Amino acid sequence: MIGSPIWGLIGVAIGMTLVVLSGLALFLASLGRRGRRRWRRMAEAAAFHLPSPAIVSDRRGHIVYANPAACKTFDARDGIDLGQVLGRVFASAEFMVHKLQNEALQNGAVSEDVATRRKRFRIQVHVFSRAAFFWQILEMPPETREKIFAEGQLPMLKIGRGGTILFMNVAAHRMLGTQPRHVDDLWPHGVPCSGALSELEAEGGSRYFRVIDMETPEGRREIYLCPQEEVEKPGDLDLLESLPVAFLKISVNGRIQMINRLGRDLLGVLGDAPRNFFELVEGPGRPVRDWLADTVRGRAVHRSEVLRVLREDRELFVQVALERVADGGVIAVLHDATDLKTLEAQFVQSQKMQAIGQLAGGVAHDFNNLLTAISGHCDLLLLRHDEGDPHYGDLMQINQNANRAASLVRQLLAFSRKQTLRPELIDLRDALTDLGHLLNRLVGETVALKLSHAPGACCIRADKRQMEQVIMNLVVNARDAMPDGGQVLIETLHYALNEELHRDRVVVPPGNYILIRVTDEGVGIAKDRLSKVFEPFYSTKKVGEGTGLGLSTAYGIVKQSGGFIFVDSVVGAGTSFTLYFPAAYPKEMVAISGQTATPPPKRQNSGTVLLVEDEAPVRAFAARALQMRGMNVIKASSAEEALEFLGDESLAVDVFVTDVIMPGLDGPSWVRQALETRPRTRVVFMSGYAEEAVADALAHIENSVFLPKPFSLADLTATVSAQLG
């Protein structure tokens, strides 16, 4: 659907992402042109007073800056080739420079121990930008290695796998003036990415440090803090840190070389979390690794993908756009696409439910015709067999199962259309007792169903069938919440509310209420999800295990019936749904459930009925039922045949009883033609569809009523008798 709002949102998001990517690519390219002087000033501020050699080189391997220790040890000078300078001490220095710079580009930083005949050195290389490398060369005789760390030149912290600070050198103690136990004490939101500028509380006040984060062969990490004496304005990487979009720079092998604050927040990256992009997200259908490889090779189309973030705390989707850069890696811009993904899922779900509704509507007509014939002829047989007859039990089984089949059709239609409520007086004790057999089948063998009723009548005014639907929805949810079994308790209670009840942004007025409470012993619902359980399409079940419409349907029926519904839950202890209905106090309570077909009253109705029904079994049952009431029945199998009968002006007809959907002319069409010459004739429309299908006809055809299929013998005769008046 081109005009769908979902595709419009996606188009806008993709357009914004491409604009941001283009700007970032230009921005990163500018670092190489103007970064040389800036990194020289930063390196000088950080490394000038270091006693160990420190060098900043560009990508070609030329020295941009060398501190005094490097000038003294290696005779290093600006502009000289780094391999040539290091070749005075190390063998194959040019190959070593090329190798370490490539490894640093892929991993963000690298450390390697190099031995000569007389001494042992640790060479550490860190990527300050795509065009600048920071080299530190530490002389490390084995017997003095720990001493060098203890008296270290740069403030250094050793970090364990869990983020615990294992060791701080003297410089770090002196500079920070404190002994933190965990990296969260210094960086509550996680360690900044390597090369980022970080402000920390140090001895004598707040100070700025350039962070160097390096992994050790033991799986631990060493974090070096380069003091920044003069910070006039945020550097280029700090501008990336403060970007209003989530930004990442990813190497060819998937390693995250650079990530800003919003990116860390979105992906849930903490200081001790893995820094590989493949470990943080899940692909839409193909591996993310393949998509990244295609982007690096220039084979990927410039379009974004929606990926699922592998987080345990919440469900999160991100829209990711990739663009390759000159050093062989890619930059990625991320947007939170959770709401968009939810909207898309709701749209797909609504389309699915619409298709189910159309299918159910088509099946319901034919299926309800069959049920009408089955239950109708069963009613006719029950008239000739009393309770003492040996066949009476079998006939009752047929009758009850036909009613249950009709209930299944109503449940299916409840998801696809708005139900028309028919309020009646209900004693909840009898209604729930009759429903108990079906509920026991729904919950299965591992779940026990218990009913508890308050003494006295528990009467409300509501649609009986819809109330059964509400109870079944709640019981099914309770069953699904107890995969290992348990008990579902259904209670009815009398409750007098003396003052207004304010709860969940709802005000329940004072009065006498009948409460229905459905309680389970299941897994419970988290507090942050309780407010969403009645929203359409919201479900905590797995995909394919629920429609997300059960509780929203129950909520709508309860509210439409003048009641209230609330939920209470404790995770691990169970959930309780409480329904409030205004109490009804009838003068004389009539039985509203467990009815069986009864013999017709002794009083007989006289009148002529034109019965039009294309289904022969339904037509036969309806004709016999009406004839037993003393009515004259004229049977027609189609609308055309009915109009032929009415062509005889001498034929007097009191009531038209007609099916709505038939081959050829439908019910409302032929009735309109017939009423032109017989305007005072009353009409009964029958249909297996919902009443909404003939709502217009009922509104425009006077003296017409609707009789839904399947109907019983008593329903049919009572409706036609009422029309005869």
Side-chain angles (χ1 to χ4, degrees):
M1 296 176 61
I2 301 300
S4 172
I6 296 176
W7 299 113
L9 288 173
I10 294 175
V12 171
I14 292 175
M16 293 178 60
T17 301
L18 292 178
V19 170
V20 173
L21 277 172
S22 301
L24 285 172
L26 293 174
F27 172 72
L28 287 176
S30 68
L31 292 179
R33 295 192 297 267
R34 55 192 174 88
R36 193 179 183 90
R37 291 189 301 272
R38 178 160 190 78
W39 284 117
R40 192 185 191 287
R41 292 197 303 270
M42 287 171 27
E44 185 173 3
F48 182 82
H49 298 289
L50 293 179
S52 62
I55 298 172
V56 174
S57 66
D58 60 19
R59 257 194 96 178
R60 295 177 299 172
H62 295 166
I63 296 176
V64 177
Y65 169 78
N67 72 343
C71 295
K72 179 179 180 181
T73 304
F74 299 103
D75 194 20
R77 298 287 186 272
D78 293 359
I80 300 178
D81 184 77
L82 180 60
Q84 178 183 348
V85 169
L86 297 183
R88 298 164 183 165
V89 177
F90 305 107
S92 304
E94 292 185 358
F95 172 78
M96 180 181 67
V97 170
H98 179 74
K99 170 177 169 292
L100 293 180
Q101 286 190 163
N102 284 338
E103 291 181 2
L105 277 174
Q106 291 184 358
N107 302 311
V110 65
S111 177
E112 183 169 318
D113 292 342
V114 180
T116 64
R117 289 184 177 181
R118 298 181 179 181
K119 298 180 180 180
R120 180 186 177 94
F121 296 87
R122 167 167 287 187
I123 302 177
Q124 298 172 343
V125 185
H126 178 76
V127 179
F128 268 9
S129 78
R130 69 182 183 90
F133 300 87
F134 182 88
W135 295 70
Q136 187 175 14
I137 304 170
L138 301 174
E139 183 179 335
M140 299 177 62
E143 68 275 7
T144 61
R145 183 175 188 271
E146 294 302 324
K147 181 179 179 181
I148 290 179
F149 275 119
E151 300 176 356
Q153 299 82 11
L154 284 176
M156 187 272 292
L157 298 83
K158 278 189 178 181
I159 310 299
R161 289 186 176 89
T164 303
I165 298 177
L166 305 176
F167 171 76
M168 290 175 58
N169 66 4
V170 175
H173 276 290
R174 187 184 304 117
M175 187 163 291
L176 296 177
T178 183
Q179 177 65 49
R181 296 184 177 181
H182 198 276
V183 291
D184 290 348
D185 298 333
L186 295 175
W187 297 285
H189 300 293
V191 179
C193 60
S194 288
L197 192 67
S198 176
E199 184 179 8
L200 294 174
E201 291 297 325
E203 187 72 21
S206 178
R207 295 187 62 181
Y208 284 94
F209 300 88
R210 186 70 60 178
V211 176
I212 302 177
D213 186 359
M214 305 186 67
E215 292 186 5
T216 66
E218 298 84 10
R220 298 173 179 175
R221 293 158 57 202
E222 295 177 356
I223 297 178
Y224 294 87
L225 303 176
C226 299
Q228 304 296 291
E229 301 299 335
E230 297 182 3
V231 181
E232 299 177 1
K233 61 179 180 179
D236 295 321
L237 289 175
D238 306 310
L239 291 176
L240 294 177
E241 184 75 8
S242 60
L243 277 175
V245 295
F247 168 83
L248 290 83
K249 186 173 185 296
I250 309 170
S251 68
V252 178
N253 59 6
R255 175 123 181 136
I256 297 178
Q257 297 175 327
M258 189 185 303
I259 179 170
N260 67 351
R261 178 182 56 82
L262 287 180
R264 293 192 299 273
D265 293 344
L266 207 56
L267 297 179
V269 174
L270 301 177
D272 56 346
R275 298 298 183 91
N276 193 298
F277 189 63
F278 305 139
E279 300 174 3
L280 301 176
V281 294
E282 188 175 61
R286 61 166 176 162
V288 180
R289 187 186 304 272
D290 295 346
W291 180 40
L292 180 65
D294 289 344
T295 303
V296 171
R297 297 183 179 94
R299 295 199 305 242
V301 180
H302 291 282
R303 64 184 181 90
S304 61
E305 295 279 4
V306 177
L307 308 179
R308 179 176 175 270
V309 181
L310 301 178
R311 296 183 61 158
E312 297 181 356
D313 55 342
R314 61 192 176 105
E315 187 81 3
L316 185 68
F317 292 89
V318 291
Q319 186 179 19
V320 183
L322 301 180
E323 181 71 28
R324 62 175 179 172
V325 290
D327 61 6
V330 296
I331 57 174
V333 173
L334 282 62
H335 295 283
D336 189 343
T338 305
D339 292 340
L340 184 65
K341 196 70 175 177
T342 302
L343 180 62
E344 180 185 355
Q346 291 178 356
F347 177 75
V348 172
Q349 185 75 341
S350 67
Q351 294 290 88
K352 183 192 304 180
M353 295 311 300
Q354 182 180 356
I356 292 176
Q358 292 173 351
L359 176 63
V363 171
H365 177 260
D366 294 333
F367 194 64
N368 283 331
N369 276 330
L370 296 174
L371 291 175
T372 301
I374 294 171
S375 61
H377 284 91
C378 185
D379 287 344
L380 291 173
L381 289 172
L382 284 170
L383 294 178
R384 300 198 299 270
H385 297 77
D386 57 22
E387 294 185 8
D389 192 286
H391 300 296
Y392 182 82
D394 296 334
L395 293 173
M396 286 300 300
Q397 283 292 325
I398 296 173
N399 183 271
Q400 291 176 6
N401 283 282
N403 290 334
R404 288 173 190 161
S407 177
L408 291 175
V409 178
R410 290 194 298 272
Q411 291 175 45
L412 186 60
L413 290 174
F415 292 113
S416 61
R417 60 178 171 83
K418 182 180 179 181
Q419 296 282 43
T420 301
L421 300 186
R422 301 178 183 274
E424 58 181 300
L425 202 59
I426 304 175
D427 188 338
L428 290 174
R429 298 174 305 171
D430 296 337
L432 291 175
T433 300
D434 292 341
L435 192 61
H437 181 75
L438 179 60
L439 294 178
N440 276 312
R441 287 182 175 273
L442 284 176
V443 298
E445 298 179 355
T446 60
V447 176
L449 182 68
K450 181 179 179 182
L451 299 178
S452 175
H453 300 297
C458 297
C459 302
I460 64 173
R461 286 196 63 82
D463 186 309
K464 180 174 180 291
R465 292 177 176 178
Q466 297 304 309
M467 286 307 305
E468 292 175 350
Q469 182 68 57
V470 170
I471 299 301
M472 284 191 290
N473 286 353
L474 296 178
V475 170
V476 168
N477 275 353
R479 177 202 66 189
D480 294 342
M482 299 185 293
D484 300 324
Q487 176 179 275
V488 178
L489 173 63
I490 303 177
E491 302 173 272
T492 57
L493 307 166
H494 294 278
Y495 186 72
L497 189 60
N498 298 321
E499 57 184 17
E500 290 183 345
L501 172 64
H502 295 263
R503 178 174 176 180
D504 300 341
R505 296 179 292 181
V506 173
V507 179
V508 182
N512 294 321
Y513 290 88
I514 302 297
L515 271 58
I516 306 174
R517 182 172 293 139
V518 180
T519 306
D520 64 60
E521 301 173 342
V523 296
I525 306 172
K527 181 179 290 186
D528 61 334
R529 296 184 175 184
L530 276 179
S531 61
K532 301 180 180 180
V533 295
F534 296 118
E535 294 180 3
F537 305 110
Y538 181 81
S539 177
T540 58
K541 301 176 184 178
K542 296 179 181 178
V543 176
E545 295 185 359
T547 63
L549 288 174
L551 290 178
S552 62
T553 300
Y555 178 87
I557 294 172
V558 171
K559 296 296 290 184
Q560 195 173 356
S561 303
F564 303 87
I565 182 169
F566 302 106
V567 58
D568 300 282
S569 185
V570 177
V571 175
T575 303
S576 177
F577 286 89
T578 305
L579 285 62
Y580 287 68
F581 290 98
Y585 298 100
K587 294 181 180 179
E588 183 177 350
M589 185 64 188
V590 296
I592 51 84
S593 62
Q595 294 180 344
T596 61
T598 56
K602 293 181 180 179
R603 183 177 64 85
Q604 300 294 311
N605 290 300
S606 60
T608 301
V609 176
L610 176 56
L611 175 62
V612 186
E613 170 63 60
D614 61 311
E615 290 286 339
V618 178
R619 185 171 64 249
F621 151 67
R624 287 184 59 189
L626 296 175
Q627 288 168 350
M628 291 175 63
R629 293 296 304 270
M631 303 176 196
N632 180 33
V633 180
I634 302 171
K635 296 182 287 184
S637 60
S638 66
E640 291 78 7
E641 185 179 358
L643 291 174
E644 288 180 9
F645 284 128
L646 295 177
D648 183 359
E649 297 181 359
S650 63
L651 179 63
V653 177
D654 300 299
V655 179
F656 298 148
V657 179
T658 177
D659 193 10
V660 175
I661 305 298
M662 294 182 294
L665 284 177
D666 60 17
S669 298
W670 83 260
V671 167
R672 290 191 189 96
Q673 294 184 28
L675 290 179
E676 292 178 359
T677 57
R678 301 169 184 265
R680 295 184 180 181
T681 309
R682 294 178 175 270
V683 184
V684 176
F685 286 111
M686 308 178 297
S687 179
Y689 290 105
E691 186 174 353
E692 287 79 4
V694 292
D696 290 340
L698 290 172
H700 295 90
I701 297 177
E702 295 183 0
N703 302 321
S704 62
V705 296
F706 180 75
L707 179 62
K709 294 178 181 179
F711 49 77
S712 65
L713 183 149
D715 293 335
L716 174 63
T717 55
T719 303
V720 177
S721 297
Q723 285 296 78
L724 285 171

